[in-house]
Amino acid sequence: MDLMVSLKENSYPIYIESGILNHADKYIKQIFQGNKIMIISDDQVYGYYGKQLTDLLSKDYLVDHVIVEHGEQSKRFDILPSLYKALLNFKLTRTDLIIALGGGVIGDLAGFVAATFLRGIKFVQIPTSLLAQVDSSVGGKVAVDLPEGKNLVGAFYHPKMVLIDPLTLKTLPERFIYDGMAEVIKYGCIKDKKLFDKLNSYQDFNDLYQDIDQIIYRCVDIKRDVVEKDQFDFGDRLVLNFGHTLGHALEQYYHYQKYSHGEAVSIGMVQLTKIAEEHNLSPQGLHLQIQELCQKYHLPVVSNVETEKLIDAISLDKKNINKKLSLILLKDIGDSYVYQSDYSLIKAKDRI
């Protein structure tokens, strides 16, 4: 299965195929004829797939790697100098290539490094987590975190290619399968009732896995469509942030220790829809449908954090435009809209 993200000179292909990692070199050759490749990965993922990828690519290129600790803490701004130093030691030039091998953290981090080192180096995304495969590897958003909040230093910088191998999900800890399912559920909520209903029809993730290629394809296709219409996140693309305003605030409140990204987004989707219902901005009972589906895939739906404690983090949200908070609400499952609000809507609820 393959797709093309059509953005004129920033266009790139996405390939989805079980086992594609075994012949990644054939695909890399299509877009890169240079000399050196630096693989950026984490200490878990590299152990599973790093040697295999290095051996494949070493037939045609000089290959090195730099490994960071797994987890959100490696997306810190202050980790960047050590990565740049590794690239300099390898004598990477503007005609070389960076490969992001890992989940969403690695994709964001390696993408930001590629965007900024020597003012931009080609890079390829090889996402190995469900969250990265269905969401973060596509769309060109790359970033690192500051202590004050998530993704506050970043760029729009598109990969030259995305290679998605669903077999890598076999080595993913169960918690992070469900973490990725939050983003899959999000796509059903904002754009595709059929997808939402399909997710409801499976007994569990093992049952769903038989259709994983098609589910990844559908999520990526929705994101492709939205990104093509709105590359820089001021209009249509905002709907991709459903659940993220509260989710990012929760992640930051707990210093990225308690909730994974998907877990926080799950809480955000359910609680924001509940708030919207209380103000007659969404139909009654909608949050219960989302809640039931999230719980089916073992995701939390409430945090009980006092709303007041999240306001500082929400105020730094990048979706604040012209002093208004752009909240993504639902008219129904599969039908989303952007609602401009101040903080009063969220503050009306004591706890999230």
Side-chain angles (χ1 to χ4, degrees), residues 14 30 32 61 73 98 100 126 133 144 158 160 213 238-239 243-244 258 265 293 296 336 340 345-346 350:
I14 301 166
Q30 293 170 20
F32 179 61
Y61 308 103
Q73 69 278 1
I98 288 172
I126 303 183
Q133 290 181 356
V144 290
H158 294 278
K160 292 298 172 189
D213 292 32
L238 286 169
V239 300
H244 285 58
K258 181 169 182 179
V265 165
L293 187 56
K296 177 174 199 162
S336 53
Q340 301 289 343
L345 192 72
I346 289 171
D350 290 342

Short mmCIF file of all heavy atoms in Angstrom, two decimals, residues 14 30 32 61 73 98 100 126 133 144 158 160 213 238-239 243-244 258 265 293 296 336 340 345-346 350:
data_model
loop_
_atom_site.label_atom_id
_atom_site.label_comp_id
_atom_site.label_asym_id
_atom_site.label_seq_id
_atom_site.Cartn_x
_atom_site.Cartn_y
_atom_site.Cartn_z
N ILE A 14 4.60 7.56 0.94
CA ILE A 14 4.46 6.77 2.18
C ILE A 14 4.18 5.34 1.76
O ILE A 14 3.25 5.09 0.98
CB ILE A 14 3.29 7.30 3.03
CG1 ILE A 14 3.51 8.76 3.41
CG2 ILE A 14 3.13 6.44 4.29
CD1 ILE A 14 2.26 9.43 3.95
N GLN A 30 15.90 4.99 -3.97
CA GLN A 30 15.05 5.77 -4.87
C GLN A 30 15.13 7.27 -4.62
O GLN A 30 14.93 8.08 -5.52
CB GLN A 30 13.58 5.34 -4.73
CG GLN A 30 13.29 3.94 -5.22
CD GLN A 30 11.88 3.47 -4.84
OE1 GLN A 30 11.01 4.29 -4.54
NE2 GLN A 30 11.67 2.17 -4.84
N PHE A 32 17.79 8.69 -2.47
CA PHE A 32 19.09 9.13 -1.95
C PHE A 32 20.24 8.43 -2.67
O PHE A 32 20.35 7.20 -2.62
CB PHE A 32 19.16 8.87 -0.44
CG PHE A 32 20.47 9.27 0.18
CD1 PHE A 32 20.90 10.59 0.14
CD2 PHE A 32 21.28 8.34 0.81
CE1 PHE A 32 22.11 10.97 0.70
CE2 PHE A 32 22.49 8.70 1.38
CZ PHE A 32 22.90 10.02 1.33
N TYR A 61 26.23 2.53 1.44
CA TYR A 61 26.50 3.82 2.08
C TYR A 61 27.41 3.63 3.30
O TYR A 61 27.51 2.53 3.84
CB TYR A 61 25.19 4.46 2.57
CG TYR A 61 24.11 4.57 1.52
CD1 TYR A 61 23.03 3.67 1.52
CD2 TYR A 61 24.15 5.57 0.55
CE1 TYR A 61 22.02 3.77 0.57
CE2 TYR A 61 23.14 5.67 -0.41
CZ TYR A 61 22.09 4.77 -0.39
OH TYR A 61 21.09 4.88 -1.34
N GLN A 73 11.51 12.30 27.67
CA GLN A 73 12.59 13.13 28.23
C GLN A 73 13.74 13.33 27.25
O GLN A 73 14.53 14.26 27.39
CB GLN A 73 13.12 12.53 29.55
CG GLN A 73 13.88 11.22 29.43
CD GLN A 73 12.96 10.00 29.35
OE1 GLN A 73 11.75 10.12 29.36
NE2 GLN A 73 13.55 8.82 29.25
N ILE A 98 19.64 11.65 7.05
CA ILE A 98 19.33 11.21 8.41
C ILE A 98 18.11 10.30 8.35
O ILE A 98 17.15 10.59 7.62
CB ILE A 98 19.05 12.42 9.33
CG1 ILE A 98 20.35 13.17 9.63
CG2 ILE A 98 18.38 11.99 10.63
CD1 ILE A 98 20.16 14.48 10.37
N ALA A 100 15.21 8.62 10.82
CA ALA A 100 14.57 8.54 12.14
C ALA A 100 14.01 7.14 12.28
O ALA A 100 13.05 6.78 11.60
CB ALA A 100 13.47 9.59 12.25
N ILE A 126 11.19 6.21 9.56
CA ILE A 126 10.83 4.80 9.69
C ILE A 126 10.18 4.64 11.06
O ILE A 126 10.85 4.34 12.06
CB ILE A 126 12.05 3.86 9.52
CG1 ILE A 126 12.73 4.11 8.16
CG2 ILE A 126 11.60 2.40 9.62
CD1 ILE A 126 13.91 3.18 7.87
N GLN A 133 3.20 5.61 13.41
CA GLN A 133 2.79 5.09 12.10
C GLN A 133 1.48 5.71 11.63
O GLN A 133 1.31 5.99 10.45
CB GLN A 133 2.66 3.56 12.15
CG GLN A 133 4.01 2.87 12.28
CD GLN A 133 3.93 1.36 12.32
OE1 GLN A 133 2.85 0.78 12.32
NE2 GLN A 133 5.08 0.70 12.35
N VAL A 144 11.06 19.92 19.50
CA VAL A 144 11.56 19.48 20.81
C VAL A 144 10.80 20.24 21.89
O VAL A 144 10.12 21.24 21.62
CB VAL A 144 13.09 19.73 20.96
CG1 VAL A 144 13.88 18.78 20.07
CG2 VAL A 144 13.45 21.17 20.66
N HIS A 158 9.43 18.46 6.03
CA HIS A 158 8.88 17.17 5.59
C HIS A 158 9.97 16.15 5.28
O HIS A 158 11.04 16.51 4.77
CB HIS A 158 8.03 17.38 4.33
CG HIS A 158 6.79 18.18 4.61
ND1 HIS A 158 5.65 17.64 5.14
CD2 HIS A 158 6.55 19.51 4.47
CE1 HIS A 158 4.74 18.59 5.30
NE2 HIS A 158 5.26 19.73 4.91
N LYS A 160 11.62 12.92 3.18
CA LYS A 160 11.64 12.56 1.76
C LYS A 160 10.84 11.29 1.50
O LYS A 160 10.49 10.99 0.37
CB LYS A 160 13.09 12.37 1.28
CG LYS A 160 13.90 13.65 1.27
CD LYS A 160 13.30 14.66 0.31
CE LYS A 160 13.96 16.02 0.41
NZ LYS A 160 13.24 17.04 -0.36
N ASP A 213 -2.90 -3.11 8.47
CA ASP A 213 -2.42 -2.35 7.30
C ASP A 213 -3.49 -1.36 6.83
O ASP A 213 -3.19 -0.19 6.56
CB ASP A 213 -2.05 -3.29 6.14
CG ASP A 213 -0.82 -4.13 6.42
OD1 ASP A 213 -0.61 -4.46 7.60
OD2 ASP A 213 -0.07 -4.44 5.49
N LEU A 238 -6.11 22.09 12.08
CA LEU A 238 -6.33 22.19 13.52
C LEU A 238 -7.17 21.04 14.06
O LEU A 238 -7.02 20.65 15.22
CB LEU A 238 -7.01 23.53 13.85
CG LEU A 238 -6.12 24.78 13.79
CD1 LEU A 238 -6.97 26.03 13.86
CD2 LEU A 238 -5.07 24.77 14.89
N VAL A 239 -8.06 20.46 13.22
CA VAL A 239 -8.92 19.39 13.74
C VAL A 239 -8.12 18.17 14.17
O VAL A 239 -8.59 17.36 14.98
CB VAL A 239 -10.03 18.97 12.73
CG1 VAL A 239 -10.93 20.15 12.40
CG2 VAL A 239 -9.48 18.32 11.49
N GLY A 243 -8.55 16.74 21.35
CA GLY A 243 -8.08 16.11 22.59
C GLY A 243 -6.69 16.54 23.02
O GLY A 243 -6.25 16.23 24.12
N HIS A 244 -5.98 17.27 22.16
CA HIS A 244 -4.57 17.56 22.43
C HIS A 244 -4.35 18.76 23.34
O HIS A 244 -3.33 18.83 24.03
CB HIS A 244 -3.81 17.76 21.12
CG HIS A 244 -3.52 16.49 20.39
ND1 HIS A 244 -4.52 15.62 19.99
CD2 HIS A 244 -2.35 15.92 19.99
CE1 HIS A 244 -3.98 14.59 19.37
NE2 HIS A 244 -2.68 14.74 19.36
N LYS A 258 3.49 10.45 34.17
CA LYS A 258 2.32 9.64 34.50
C LYS A 258 1.60 9.11 33.26
O LYS A 258 1.29 7.93 33.17
CB LYS A 258 1.34 10.45 35.36
CG LYS A 258 0.10 9.63 35.74
CD LYS A 258 -0.74 10.31 36.80
CE LYS A 258 -1.93 9.42 37.18
NZ LYS A 258 -2.76 10.00 38.22
N VAL A 265 -4.21 12.21 25.55
CA VAL A 265 -5.15 12.61 24.49
C VAL A 265 -6.51 11.94 24.69
O VAL A 265 -7.56 12.56 24.47
CB VAL A 265 -4.56 12.28 23.09
CG1 VAL A 265 -5.63 12.35 22.00
CG2 VAL A 265 -3.42 13.23 22.76
N LEU A 293 -15.24 3.51 23.80
CA LEU A 293 -14.25 3.00 22.84
C LEU A 293 -12.84 3.13 23.41
O LEU A 293 -12.02 2.20 23.27
CB LEU A 293 -14.37 3.75 21.50
CG LEU A 293 -13.51 3.20 20.36
CD1 LEU A 293 -13.78 1.72 20.11
CD2 LEU A 293 -13.75 3.99 19.07
N LYS A 296 -12.32 0.43 25.90
CA LYS A 296 -12.17 -0.87 25.23
C LYS A 296 -10.70 -1.16 24.92
O LYS A 296 -10.23 -2.30 24.98
CB LYS A 296 -12.99 -0.87 23.94
CG LYS A 296 -12.86 -2.15 23.13
CD LYS A 296 -13.81 -2.14 21.94
CE LYS A 296 -14.00 -3.55 21.44
NZ LYS A 296 -15.18 -3.70 20.60
N SER A 336 -16.18 17.10 12.86
CA SER A 336 -15.52 17.99 13.82
C SER A 336 -15.54 19.43 13.34
O SER A 336 -15.71 19.70 12.15
CB SER A 336 -14.08 17.53 14.04
OG SER A 336 -13.42 17.40 12.79
N GLN A 340 -13.63 28.73 18.55
CA GLN A 340 -12.76 29.73 19.18
C GLN A 340 -13.36 30.10 20.53
O GLN A 340 -14.52 30.46 20.63
CB GLN A 340 -12.67 30.98 18.30
CG GLN A 340 -12.12 30.72 16.90
CD GLN A 340 -10.64 30.40 16.90
OE1 GLN A 340 -9.93 30.66 17.86
NE2 GLN A 340 -10.16 29.82 15.82
N LEU A 345 -14.56 28.43 29.06
CA LEU A 345 -15.23 27.16 28.75
C LEU A 345 -14.59 26.01 29.53
O LEU A 345 -15.28 25.19 30.15
CB LEU A 345 -15.15 26.88 27.25
CG LEU A 345 -16.04 25.75 26.73
CD1 LEU A 345 -17.50 26.18 26.73
CD2 LEU A 345 -15.64 25.33 25.32
N ILE A 346 -13.26 25.97 29.53
CA ILE A 346 -12.55 24.90 30.24
C ILE A 346 -12.62 25.12 31.75
O ILE A 346 -12.80 24.19 32.54
CB ILE A 346 -11.08 24.81 29.74
CG1 ILE A 346 -11.08 24.25 28.32
CG2 ILE A 346 -10.24 23.94 30.65
CD1 ILE A 346 -9.75 24.30 27.63
N ASP A 350 -14.45 21.97 37.10
CA ASP A 350 -13.48 22.00 38.20
C ASP A 350 -12.29 21.08 37.97
O ASP A 350 -11.15 21.40 38.27
CB ASP A 350 -14.15 21.57 39.53
CG ASP A 350 -15.13 22.63 40.00
OD1 ASP A 350 -15.03 23.76 39.54
OD2 ASP A 350 -15.99 22.28 40.84
#
